[in-house]
Amino acid sequence: HLEEERGFLRAVADELKRRGETGDVGRLIVVAPPRALGLFRELECAQLKRVTIAELPNDYVKLPLYEIEKRLQGHHG
């Protein structure tokens, strides 16, 4: 399970890096459960670290969009 999670996070980090290189990612808020957030930190490149404005050790998967937006207010840099 851990290897699957790491593979998924690697794919996310690679996609964000690709989008950052094209200018599609200017600011990033990373929200993930604590373990996944730790793994993501290991995988993200220096460019992503520079544009990351907040890291939140939470799981918002089951929340409706309006609730996620409410929780992210104040983290928009």
Side-chain angles (χ1 to χ4, degrees):
H1 178 72
L2 184 58
E3 285 306 311
E4 289 177 9
E5 184 176 22
R6 182 179 282 279
F8 171 75
L9 292 169
R10 165 58 63 199
V12 170
D14 289 347
E15 178 64 16
L16 288 170
K17 178 183 178 188
R18 185 187 70 72
R19 288 179 179 231
E21 290 169 349
T22 63
D24 290 342
V25 177
R27 296 181 300 164
L28 180 66
I29 298 173
V30 181
V31 180
R35 184 180 74 195
L37 186 58
L39 290 172
F40 183 79
R41 285 180 186 138
E42 293 174 13
L43 299 169
E44 70 181 330
C45 66
Q47 176 186 353
L48 287 180
K49 289 179 183 180
R50 281 193 303 277
V51 299
T52 299
I53 61 172
E55 293 179 340
L56 307 175
N58 297 300
D59 185 349
Y60 291 173
V61 170
K62 295 180 181 178
L63 295 177
L65 183 57
Y66 72 88
E67 184 64 29
I68 294 170
E69 290 171 343
K70 184 171 122 182
R71 291 181 186 208
L72 293 180
Q73 286 180 350
H75 294 287
H76 49 77

